[in-house]
Amino acid sequence: DAKTTQPTSMDCAEGRAANLPCNHSTISGNEYVYWYRQIHSQGPQYIIHGLKNNETNEMASLIITEDRKSSTLILPHATLRDTAVYYCIVRVTGYSTLTFGKGTMLLVSP
Amino acid sequence: DAGVIQSPRHEVTEMGQEVTLRCKPISGHDYLFWYRQTMMRGLELLIYFNNNVPIDDSGMPEDRFSAKMPNASFSTLKIQPSEPRDSAVYFCASSLKGVEQYFGPGTRLTVT
C-alpha cells in the first residue's frame, strides 16, 4: 500500500469547516483513499472513501486532486464531538486489510 | 444492529495467566479482524478471518497468541501465558466483502 503523510495535529473552531490534508504521492491506479477517525477511548470509525472522484456523505466530503497524489477530508461544520484522530489510508482495490499510520489529531474548540 | 460486540471491556490479570477476549461481529459480515493498539506502536493488525477461516496471522506477535473463529458469529483471541508487554487495547472489527470495517469498543487489557 502507498505511504501517506498527514500533519500531526490541527485546530478548528466549532462551527467552522475542518480541512484535513493527506499526501499520497506514490498512490497506484488501483488504490482507494480511505478516511477513518478514532474518538478518544473508542474504536476507529469509517468516514468515507474514494478512488478519483470527489465523494460526499452525511459525515464529510472527500476531495481528491486530479493527479490523485493528495486529498482533503472536509468536515463542513465541525462540532466538539469531531475532536478525534483522523487517519488517511490508501488501500489496494479488493485488498481487505487496513494499515493505520499516526493520523492527524483534530482539536475542535468552542 | 448492535454493532460489533466485545467482551470484556476491561481485563486486569497477573502475569502468567491465560486471557481470553471475545468478539461478536455484525451479522452477515464475512470478514473479522483483530487489532491491538498501544501508544508506542499505534494500531496494528494481528490476524483476520474470511468466512471463519484465518487468512493472515502474520501480525500475531508470538506463539502465546492464538485466535479462533468457530462460527460466523463468534471469535476469540487468547493469550497464554500473558505478559506485562501485552497490555494494550484490543479491537475487533468486521466487514462485508472486506470494504468498510466496523470496529467494536475494544477491550482494555492490563497485565500486572
Side-chain angles (χ1 to χ4, degrees):
Chain A
D1 291 343
K3 179 180 172 61
T4 62
T5 304
Q6 300 178 252
T8 301
S9 63
M10 294 184 64
D11 295 325
C12 180
E14 188 178 21
R16 303 298 293 270
N19 297 282
L20 292 94
C22 179
N23 285 317
H24 31 79
S25 58
T26 61
I27 192 169
S28 300
N30 63 345
E31 290 180 313
Y32 282 77
V33 180
Y34 279 76
W35 283 84
Y36 280 73
R37 73 179 182 184
Q38 186 173 22
I39 296 170
H40 183 59
S41 297
Q42 297 184 21
Q45 176 189 24
Y46 165 81
I47 301 173
I48 198 167
H49 75 281
L51 183 62
K52 55 183 179 181
N53 297 321
N54 299 337
E55 303 286 346
T56 296
N57 63 19
E58 66 278 4
M59 288 184 68
S61 295
L62 173 60
I63 308 297
I64 302 174
T65 59
E66 192 168 344
D67 63 7
R68 303 211 319 123
K69 293 185 177 182
S70 66
S71 61
T72 301
L73 178 75
I74 301 172
L75 308 178
H77 304 287
T79 71
L80 300 180
R81 289 175 295 181
D82 292 322
T83 291
V85 178
Y86 287 76
Y87 298 98
C88 171
I89 300 167
V90 173
R91 195 175 93 175
V92 174
T93 305
Y95 193 60
S96 305
T97 63
L98 297 169
T99 301
F100 288 83
K102 296 187 183 302
T104 296
M105 175 66 218
L106 175 68
L107 176 63
V108 181
S109 303
Chain B
D1 198 318
V4 175
I5 299 172
Q6 291 187 248
S7 64
R9 293 294 311 277
H10 301 273
E11 177 80 34
V12 180
T13 191
E14 293 184 347
M15 182 175 62
Q17 296 297 306
E18 177 179 295
V19 175
T20 299
L21 311 182
R22 298 172 175 80
C23 175
K24 176 179 170 56
I26 294 172
S27 177
H29 281 189
D30 56 352
Y31 283 82
L32 184 138
F33 307 82
W34 282 101
Y35 290 85
R36 177 173 69 174
Q37 187 171 35
T38 62
M39 287 294 292
M40 289 294 293
R41 300 176 67 88
L43 200 60
E44 303 173 283
L45 176 66
L46 299 177
I47 185 172
Y48 78 95
F49 296 82
N50 178 219
N51 292 321
N52 312 338
V53 176
I55 302 301
D56 184 355
D57 65 354
S58 60
M60 297 285 263
E62 44 195 279
D63 293 344
R64 296 184 297 106
F65 286 70
S66 63
K68 294 182 179 179
M69 192 165 185
N71 57 62
S73 58
F74 184 65
S75 176
T76 60
L77 178 67
K78 185 176 295 186
I79 308 173
Q80 167 63 18
S82 58
E83 296 183 3
R85 59 192 168 124
D86 301 330
S87 297
V89 181
Y90 291 81
F91 290 104
C92 175
S94 70
S95 74
L96 180 62
K97 302 187 189 305
V99 189
E100 299 95 34
Q101 292 185 20
Y102 295 85
F103 285 74
T107 295
R108 181 173 296 276
L109 174 65
T110 302
V111 183
T112 61

mmCIF file with all atom_site columns, all heavy atoms in Angstrom, chain A residues 6 14 16 28 48 52 65 74 80 82 89 102 109:
data_model
loop_
_atom_site.group_PDB
_atom_site.id
_atom_site.type_symbol
_atom_site.label_atom_id
_atom_site.label_alt_id
_atom_site.label_comp_id
_atom_site.label_asym_id
_atom_site.label_entity_id
_atom_site.label_seq_id
_atom_site.pdbx_PDB_ins_code
_atom_site.Cartn_x
_atom_site.Cartn_y
_atom_site.Cartn_z
_atom_site.occupancy
_atom_site.B_iso_or_equiv
_atom_site.pdbx_formal_charge
_atom_site.auth_seq_id
_atom_site.auth_comp_id
_atom_site.auth_asym_id
_atom_site.auth_atom_id
_atom_site.pdbx_PDB_model_num
ATOM 1   N N   . GLN A 1 6   ? 0.414   12.895 6.856   1.00 0.00 ? 6   GLN A N   1
ATOM 2   C CA  . GLN A 1 6   ? -0.587  13.781 7.413   1.00 0.00 ? 6   GLN A CA  1
ATOM 3   C C   . GLN A 1 6   ? 0.055   14.673 8.471   1.00 0.00 ? 6   GLN A C   1
ATOM 4   O O   . GLN A 1 6   ? 1.012   14.257 9.126   1.00 0.00 ? 6   GLN A O   1
ATOM 5   C CB  . GLN A 1 6   ? -1.711  12.973 8.090   1.00 0.00 ? 6   GLN A CB  1
ATOM 6   C CG  . GLN A 1 6   ? -2.463  12.027 7.204   1.00 0.00 ? 6   GLN A CG  1
ATOM 7   C CD  . GLN A 1 6   ? -3.510  11.272 8.003   1.00 0.00 ? 6   GLN A CD  1
ATOM 8   O OE1 . GLN A 1 6   ? -3.382  10.079 8.264   1.00 0.00 ? 6   GLN A OE1 1
ATOM 9   N NE2 . GLN A 1 6   ? -4.578  11.969 8.388   1.00 0.00 ? 6   GLN A NE2 1
ATOM 10  N N   . GLU A 1 14  ? -15.227 25.583 16.519  1.00 0.00 ? 14  GLU A N   1
ATOM 11  C CA  . GLU A 1 14  ? -16.545 24.968 16.387  1.00 0.00 ? 14  GLU A CA  1
ATOM 12  C C   . GLU A 1 14  ? -17.401 25.753 15.399  1.00 0.00 ? 14  GLU A C   1
ATOM 13  O O   . GLU A 1 14  ? -17.438 26.976 15.422  1.00 0.00 ? 14  GLU A O   1
ATOM 14  C CB  . GLU A 1 14  ? -17.217 24.951 17.765  1.00 0.00 ? 14  GLU A CB  1
ATOM 15  C CG  . GLU A 1 14  ? -18.501 24.170 17.811  1.00 0.00 ? 14  GLU A CG  1
ATOM 16  C CD  . GLU A 1 14  ? -19.105 24.131 19.209  1.00 0.00 ? 14  GLU A CD  1
ATOM 17  O OE1 . GLU A 1 14  ? -18.758 25.012 20.034  1.00 0.00 ? 14  GLU A OE1 1
ATOM 18  O OE2 . GLU A 1 14  ? -19.908 23.212 19.478  1.00 0.00 ? 14  GLU A OE2 1
ATOM 19  N N   . ARG A 1 16  ? -16.906 25.958 12.238  1.00 0.00 ? 16  ARG A N   1
ATOM 20  C CA  . ARG A 1 16  ? -16.157 26.221 11.010  1.00 0.00 ? 16  ARG A CA  1
ATOM 21  C C   . ARG A 1 16  ? -15.860 24.912 10.301  1.00 0.00 ? 16  ARG A C   1
ATOM 22  O O   . ARG A 1 16  ? -15.991 23.821 10.852  1.00 0.00 ? 16  ARG A O   1
ATOM 23  C CB  . ARG A 1 16  ? -14.838 26.935 11.339  1.00 0.00 ? 16  ARG A CB  1
ATOM 24  C CG  . ARG A 1 16  ? -14.991 28.227 12.109  1.00 0.00 ? 16  ARG A CG  1
ATOM 25  C CD  . ARG A 1 16  ? -15.772 29.261 11.316  1.00 0.00 ? 16  ARG A CD  1
ATOM 26  N NE  . ARG A 1 16  ? -15.075 29.714 10.137  1.00 0.00 ? 16  ARG A NE  1
ATOM 27  C CZ  . ARG A 1 16  ? -14.234 30.759 10.108  1.00 0.00 ? 16  ARG A CZ  1
ATOM 28  N NH1 . ARG A 1 16  ? -13.990 31.440 11.207  1.00 0.00 ? 16  ARG A NH1 1
ATOM 29  N NH2 . ARG A 1 16  ? -13.649 31.110 8.973   1.00 0.00 ? 16  ARG A NH2 1
ATOM 30  N N   . SER A 1 28  ? -1.096  4.186  -6.390  1.00 0.00 ? 28  SER A N   1
ATOM 31  C CA  . SER A 1 28  ? -1.237  3.485  -7.659  1.00 0.00 ? 28  SER A CA  1
ATOM 32  C C   . SER A 1 28  ? -2.665  3.611  -8.178  1.00 0.00 ? 28  SER A C   1
ATOM 33  O O   . SER A 1 28  ? -3.568  3.986  -7.442  1.00 0.00 ? 28  SER A O   1
ATOM 34  C CB  . SER A 1 28  ? -0.910  2.000  -7.464  1.00 0.00 ? 28  SER A CB  1
ATOM 35  O OG  . SER A 1 28  ? 0.408   1.826  -7.002  1.00 0.00 ? 28  SER A OG  1
ATOM 36  N N   . ILE A 1 48  ? -15.332 7.791  5.058   1.00 0.00 ? 48  ILE A N   1
ATOM 37  C CA  . ILE A 1 48  ? -15.591 7.938  3.632   1.00 0.00 ? 48  ILE A CA  1
ATOM 38  C C   . ILE A 1 48  ? -14.432 7.327  2.849   1.00 0.00 ? 48  ILE A C   1
ATOM 39  O O   . ILE A 1 48  ? -13.336 7.139  3.411   1.00 0.00 ? 48  ILE A O   1
ATOM 40  C CB  . ILE A 1 48  ? -15.770 9.443  3.280   1.00 0.00 ? 48  ILE A CB  1
ATOM 41  C CG1 . ILE A 1 48  ? -16.458 9.636  1.936   1.00 0.00 ? 48  ILE A CG1 1
ATOM 42  C CG2 . ILE A 1 48  ? -14.426 10.169 3.333   1.00 0.00 ? 48  ILE A CG2 1
ATOM 43  C CD1 . ILE A 1 48  ? -16.921 11.089 1.710   1.00 0.00 ? 48  ILE A CD1 1
ATOM 44  N N   . LYS A 1 52  ? -11.156 8.414  -7.417  1.00 0.00 ? 52  LYS A N   1
ATOM 45  C CA  . LYS A 1 52  ? -10.632 9.609  -8.102  1.00 0.00 ? 52  LYS A CA  1
ATOM 46  C C   . LYS A 1 52  ? -11.647 10.740 -8.147  1.00 0.00 ? 52  LYS A C   1
ATOM 47  O O   . LYS A 1 52  ? -11.274 11.900 -8.267  1.00 0.00 ? 52  LYS A O   1
ATOM 48  C CB  . LYS A 1 52  ? -10.167 9.268  -9.510  1.00 0.00 ? 52  LYS A CB  1
ATOM 49  C CG  . LYS A 1 52  ? -11.196 8.601  -10.395 1.00 0.00 ? 52  LYS A CG  1
ATOM 50  C CD  . LYS A 1 52  ? -10.575 8.260  -11.746 1.00 0.00 ? 52  LYS A CD  1
ATOM 51  C CE  . LYS A 1 52  ? -11.582 7.554  -12.643 1.00 0.00 ? 52  LYS A CE  1
ATOM 52  N NZ  . LYS A 1 52  ? -10.980 7.189  -13.952 1.00 0.00 ? 52  LYS A NZ  1
ATOM 53  N N   . THR A 1 65  ? -7.253  15.253 -5.557  1.00 0.00 ? 65  THR A N   1
ATOM 54  C CA  . THR A 1 65  ? -6.698  16.036 -6.663  1.00 0.00 ? 65  THR A CA  1
ATOM 55  C C   . THR A 1 65  ? -6.693  15.226 -7.953  1.00 0.00 ? 65  THR A C   1
ATOM 56  O O   . THR A 1 65  ? -6.742  13.984 -7.926  1.00 0.00 ? 65  THR A O   1
ATOM 57  C CB  . THR A 1 65  ? -5.275  16.498 -6.332  1.00 0.00 ? 65  THR A CB  1
ATOM 58  O OG1 . THR A 1 65  ? -4.455  15.343 -6.078  1.00 0.00 ? 65  THR A OG1 1
ATOM 59  C CG2 . THR A 1 65  ? -5.258  17.417 -5.134  1.00 0.00 ? 65  THR A CG2 1
ATOM 60  N N   . ILE A 1 74  ? -13.055 17.002 4.345   1.00 0.00 ? 74  ILE A N   1
ATOM 61  C CA  . ILE A 1 74  ? -13.712 18.226 4.805   1.00 0.00 ? 74  ILE A CA  1
ATOM 62  C C   . ILE A 1 74  ? -14.883 17.882 5.712   1.00 0.00 ? 74  ILE A C   1
ATOM 63  O O   . ILE A 1 74  ? -15.785 17.143 5.314   1.00 0.00 ? 74  ILE A O   1
ATOM 64  C CB  . ILE A 1 74  ? -14.215 19.072 3.618   1.00 0.00 ? 74  ILE A CB  1
ATOM 65  C CG1 . ILE A 1 74  ? -13.045 19.451 2.707   1.00 0.00 ? 74  ILE A CG1 1
ATOM 66  C CG2 . ILE A 1 74  ? -14.931 20.330 4.123   1.00 0.00 ? 74  ILE A CG2 1
ATOM 67  C CD1 . ILE A 1 74  ? -13.466 20.125 1.412   1.00 0.00 ? 74  ILE A CD1 1
ATOM 68  N N   . LEU A 1 80  ? -17.721 19.940 18.619  1.00 0.00 ? 80  LEU A N   1
ATOM 69  C CA  . LEU A 1 80  ? -16.782 19.455 19.629  1.00 0.00 ? 80  LEU A CA  1
ATOM 70  C C   . LEU A 1 80  ? -16.640 17.934 19.549  1.00 0.00 ? 80  LEU A C   1
ATOM 71  O O   . LEU A 1 80  ? -15.569 17.379 19.848  1.00 0.00 ? 80  LEU A O   1
ATOM 72  C CB  . LEU A 1 80  ? -17.254 19.869 21.027  1.00 0.00 ? 80  LEU A CB  1
ATOM 73  C CG  . LEU A 1 80  ? -17.385 21.380 21.273  1.00 0.00 ? 80  LEU A CG  1
ATOM 74  C CD1 . LEU A 1 80  ? -17.870 21.639 22.705  1.00 0.00 ? 80  LEU A CD1 1
ATOM 75  C CD2 . LEU A 1 80  ? -16.076 22.092 21.009  1.00 0.00 ? 80  LEU A CD2 1
ATOM 76  N N   . ASP A 1 82  ? -16.383 16.193 17.022  1.00 0.00 ? 82  ASP A N   1
ATOM 77  C CA  . ASP A 1 82  ? -15.496 15.794 15.933  1.00 0.00 ? 82  ASP A CA  1
ATOM 78  C C   . ASP A 1 82  ? -14.031 15.764 16.365  1.00 0.00 ? 82  ASP A C   1
ATOM 79  O O   . ASP A 1 82  ? -13.160 15.402 15.572  1.00 0.00 ? 82  ASP A O   1
ATOM 80  C CB  . ASP A 1 82  ? -15.657 16.751 14.745  1.00 0.00 ? 82  ASP A CB  1
ATOM 81  C CG  . ASP A 1 82  ? -17.008 16.624 14.071  1.00 0.00 ? 82  ASP A CG  1
ATOM 82  O OD1 . ASP A 1 82  ? -17.506 15.478 13.955  1.00 0.00 ? 82  ASP A OD1 1
ATOM 83  O OD2 . ASP A 1 82  ? -17.573 17.657 13.672  1.00 0.00 ? 82  ASP A OD2 1
ATOM 84  N N   . ILE A 1 89  ? -5.849  6.518  4.784   1.00 0.00 ? 89  ILE A N   1
ATOM 85  C CA  . ILE A 1 89  ? -5.278  5.207  4.457   1.00 0.00 ? 89  ILE A CA  1
ATOM 86  C C   . ILE A 1 89  ? -5.477  4.953  2.973   1.00 0.00 ? 89  ILE A C   1
ATOM 87  O O   . ILE A 1 89  ? -6.575  5.173  2.441   1.00 0.00 ? 89  ILE A O   1
ATOM 88  C CB  . ILE A 1 89  ? -5.978  4.097  5.264   1.00 0.00 ? 89  ILE A CB  1
ATOM 89  C CG1 . ILE A 1 89  ? -5.806  4.335  6.771   1.00 0.00 ? 89  ILE A CG1 1
ATOM 90  C CG2 . ILE A 1 89  ? -5.436  2.719  4.880   1.00 0.00 ? 89  ILE A CG2 1
ATOM 91  C CD1 . ILE A 1 89  ? -6.709  3.477  7.631   1.00 0.00 ? 89  ILE A CD1 1
ATOM 92  N N   . LYS A 1 102 ? -0.052  7.291  11.922  1.00 0.00 ? 102 LYS A N   1
ATOM 93  C CA  . LYS A 1 102 ? -0.222  8.055  13.159  1.00 0.00 ? 102 LYS A CA  1
ATOM 94  C C   . LYS A 1 102 ? -1.404  9.009  13.092  1.00 0.00 ? 102 LYS A C   1
ATOM 95  O O   . LYS A 1 102 ? -1.914  9.451  14.114  1.00 0.00 ? 102 LYS A O   1
ATOM 96  C CB  . LYS A 1 102 ? 1.053   8.822  13.469  1.00 0.00 ? 102 LYS A CB  1
ATOM 97  C CG  . LYS A 1 102 ? 2.242   7.909  13.738  1.00 0.00 ? 102 LYS A CG  1
ATOM 98  C CD  . LYS A 1 102 ? 3.442   8.693  14.203  1.00 0.00 ? 102 LYS A CD  1
ATOM 99  C CE  . LYS A 1 102 ? 4.662   7.801  14.411  1.00 0.00 ? 102 LYS A CE  1
ATOM 100 N NZ  . LYS A 1 102 ? 4.417   6.739  15.387  1.00 0.00 ? 102 LYS A NZ  1
ATOM 101 N N   . SER A 1 109 ? -12.428 23.440 19.064  1.00 0.00 ? 109 SER A N   1
ATOM 102 C CA  . SER A 1 109 ? -12.587 24.250 20.272  1.00 0.00 ? 109 SER A CA  1
ATOM 103 C C   . SER A 1 109 ? -13.788 25.174 20.161  1.00 0.00 ? 109 SER A C   1
ATOM 104 O O   . SER A 1 109 ? -14.145 25.593 19.055  1.00 0.00 ? 109 SER A O   1
ATOM 105 C CB  . SER A 1 109 ? -11.334 25.079 20.519  1.00 0.00 ? 109 SER A CB  1
ATOM 106 O OG  . SER A 1 109 ? -10.196 24.259 20.626  1.00 0.00 ? 109 SER A OG  1
#
